[in-house]
Amino acid sequence: MTSDEEASYDPARRIAALAEAASRVDIDPSILPKRYFRSGHEMIRMARIYSDERDYETAYILYMKYSILFVDKLPTHPDYKSVLKEDLITGRKNLKEAIQFAEALKPVILKKYEQERQEWLKQRRIENERREKEQAAFNEKRRQEEERKRLEEEEHFRKLQATKQQQLLEPKPGPAPVYVPAPQSRPVQPPMFHAAPPAFVPSMPPPMTHPLPSAPSAPHQIGQPAAFTPFVPSAPATHPPPKAEPSVPDRSLKPSDVGLLIGRLRPMVLPEDLCLRFLQFAESQTRKNVETCGILCGVPEQGRYRVTHLLIPKQSGTSDTCTTSQEEELFTVMDKEELITLGWIHTHPSQTAFLSSVDLHTHASYQALLPEAVAVVVAPKHGENGFFRLSESGLDSILRCRQTGFHPHDGPTLFTQCQHVSLAGHSLTVVDLRL
């Protein structure tokens, strides 16, 4: 277990990372404080839901984010003094709840983290013991194999030496005499007499065909036995022990990583006829080449968000801008239906589907409070629908930007297509507050 890996399971370090994630919130002076108060109210409502679902980490982040936003950030807003008294009262009440619940959730989360750490350490011990047993079994098997080979080599050498000794001790046959027959007699003229028999001359011995034993390792005199060479068994081949593979933790037991927790987006389901229904309500403005916008609202359910309502507030627009008014009417509907803001939708009557610099700033205020917030752009002239969100670097860049109106932004891709959004056939309620 590496020190970094072990540190990632430290409960204190993990809870500190949650607090760090909650602190990544900032305000945009161009957005009125009342919008932040409204978003803060929804934040508290969502934190309650997450807590009821036992998603204590997300609830803790939301409570901490609310506390930081309303204690440290929002009072620095240039228009903070214009906040209505009733908003301040509600904000203080929510702040008290946020602080109390964050403090109550912290020991619960720490206990959960400690249990996860102990379970992970237990599994690590089991895994290490298993590896040690496997290594010991492998070493024993290798030892037995080397011993078997050594015994076989000794037995083979003994048999070979015995054969050599036996061959050296056997008597060697001498050269066989060669019989030379007498030459045939021929008749001679008398007087007849017998010549003396020729002397016996032995021939050279024939070459030996009997195989001789292999020459011993040391020279020796013929007729003497070869010197005995004692057996020295060769040292067993040395094999380096198998290199232990680095242990791999069971990822199913790894506690939720803070980075993954922050980067994890809950799925969001939109009605499949959302864009078509919205275009029907925006048709008159689209013919005039004027943008129309609406607010997407819904509810969290079973680990996801479901857009159930499209609220179209009073507004004014141009060919490339749209500004809402009398937003209190929106809040009344949302409170009555217990809805939360999940994103927004607007048309590009004559342009393609993308996020302009003004759109980027608008969406940053949504996504800063709800990472899953979606920006839907409908471009009827080009037959395009876009479902966008800011990239992490894009969100940071836009929140730091203090320019207004249309202006360029440098850097990598600022927005991307949403990967957590899907379409389904559930019903959509449209509330047109322009009437």
Side-chain angles (χ1 to χ4, degrees):
M1 176 177 14
T2 64
S3 58
D4 290 341
E5 188 177 12
E6 185 176 8
S8 68
Y9 289 86
D10 179 53
R13 179 173 177 175
R14 295 176 67 189
I15 199 74
L18 294 181
E20 172 64 22
S23 67
R24 299 171 192 163
V25 60
D26 208 342
I27 61 171
D28 185 344
S30 64
I31 298 176
L32 294 178
K34 65 178 182 180
R35 287 279 303 277
Y36 284 105
F37 274 89
R38 177 62 199 180
S39 297
H41 184 69
E42 293 184 19
M43 198 182 300
I44 293 295
R45 184 186 300 171
M46 290 170 58
R48 295 168 184 164
I49 295 173
Y50 282 124
S51 182
D52 291 341
E53 294 178 351
R54 296 183 180 275
D55 187 351
Y56 299 130
E57 292 149 310
T58 304
Y60 180 80
I61 290 175
L62 287 173
Y63 281 130
M64 289 292 294
K65 182 175 289 189
Y66 184 95
S67 302
I68 294 171
L69 180 63
F70 284 85
V71 172
D72 298 331
K73 305 290 185 178
L74 200 55
T76 64
H77 194 288
D79 298 323
Y80 185 74
K81 293 182 179 180
S82 66
V83 177
L84 298 177
K85 183 177 180 180
E86 53 266 30
D87 288 337
L88 288 173
I89 294 175
T90 302
R92 294 191 186 101
K93 180 180 177 181
N94 288 337
L95 179 60
K96 182 179 179 180
E97 176 184 340
I99 295 174
Q100 289 179 345
F101 275 82
E103 292 178 350
L105 286 175
K106 184 175 181 179
V108 176
I109 297 173
L110 285 172
K111 181 179 179 181
K112 172 176 175 276
Y113 284 169
E114 181 60 28
Q115 290 174 345
E116 290 177 349
R117 177 175 177 273
Q118 292 301 324
E119 180 63 22
W120 183 79
L121 290 174
K122 176 182 176 182
Q123 294 300 323
R124 291 292 301 163
R125 287 192 294 269
I126 294 174
E127 178 67 15
N128 289 337
E129 291 174 359
R130 182 188 67 81
R131 290 180 179 274
E132 290 174 359
K133 289 180 180 179
E134 289 180 353
Q135 183 67 38
F138 174 83
N139 292 339
E140 177 62 20
K141 183 178 180 180
R142 186 182 62 181
R143 187 195 66 77
Q144 293 177 359
E145 180 64 19
E146 292 175 349
E147 178 67 12
R148 182 186 64 80
K149 289 182 179 180
R150 186 184 68 81
L151 294 175
E152 288 180 352
E153 290 176 357
E154 287 184 354
E155 180 64 20
H156 176 73
F157 185 81
R158 281 196 295 268
K159 289 181 179 180
L160 182 62
Q161 290 294 92
T163 300
K164 288 182 178 181
Q165 291 295 328
Q166 183 177 359
Q167 291 175 348
L168 291 173
L169 294 176
E170 288 179 353
K172 311 243 180 341
V178 178
Y179 173 74
V180 180
Q184 296 182 356
S185 62
R186 293 179 295 179
V188 296
Q189 297 296 327
M192 298 178 62
F193 65 94
H194 294 282
F200 174 78
V201 181
S203 64
M204 294 296 291
M208 296 176 62
T209 60
H210 185 73
L212 292 176
S214 303
S217 59
H220 63 280
Q221 299 295 324
I222 297 177
Q224 296 181 355
F228 175 74
T229 304
F231 169 68
V232 180
S234 59
T238 58
H239 302 284
K243 188 176 182 181
E245 298 180 359
S247 55
V248 179
D250 185 351
R251 298 300 177 189
S252 63
L253 297 172
K254 184 177 177 65
S256 56
D257 181 74
V258 173
L260 293 177
L261 178 66
I262 305 308
R264 182 189 65 202
L265 299 178
R266 284 195 171 199
M268 182 177 295
V269 184
L270 278 62
E272 59 185 6
D273 61 348
L274 169 65
C275 295
L276 180 61
R277 294 280 304 277
F278 178 60
L279 277 178
Q280 292 173 352
F281 283 86
E283 183 179 5
S284 61
Q285 293 294 86
T286 301
R287 287 199 302 265
K288 301 175 186 176
N289 194 31
V290 174
E291 284 193 2
T292 306
C293 67
I295 309 300
L296 302 177
C297 302
V299 294
E301 59 175 19
Q302 299 176 347
R304 65 179 184 175
Y305 293 111
R306 183 164 62 94
V307 173
T308 58
H309 288 67
L310 167 60
L311 308 185
I312 304 178
K314 290 182 172 61
Q315 57 193 267
S316 60
T318 66
S319 61
D320 50 21
T321 62
C322 185
T323 305
T324 60
S325 61
Q326 299 184 29
E327 295 177 340
E328 293 78 9
E329 297 178 356
L330 287 174
F331 303 153
T332 300
V333 175
M334 293 176 66
D335 290 340
K336 179 180 179 181
E337 301 293 334
E338 297 185 348
L339 303 173
I340 60 175
T341 303
L342 299 177
W344 63 299
I345 184 172
H346 72 290
T347 58
H348 280 183
S350 59
Q351 301 184 76
T352 58
F354 70 101
L355 293 183
S356 67
S357 59
V358 174
D359 296 337
L360 292 173
H361 279 266
T362 300
H363 189 65
S365 64
Y366 287 92
Q367 190 171 320
L369 300 179
L370 179 68
E372 291 84 354
V374 58
V376 182
V377 181
V378 183
K381 181 177 180 179
H382 297 271
E384 295 179 354
N385 298 323
F387 302 84
F388 303 116
R389 69 183 302 270
L390 299 179
S391 63
E392 293 303 316
S393 59
L395 179 61
D396 292 339
S397 175
I398 298 302
L399 289 177
R400 290 195 302 268
C401 178
R402 292 296 176 258
Q403 297 186 59
T404 59
F406 292 99
H407 55 278
H409 291 97
D410 297 329
T413 303
L414 298 175
F415 65 94
T416 61
Q417 289 278 358
C418 292
Q419 302 298 319
H420 66 293
V421 169
S422 62
L423 303 178
H426 63 266
S427 61
L428 175 68
T429 301
V430 180
V431 179
D432 190 347
L433 298 173
R434 298 173 301 174
L435 304 177

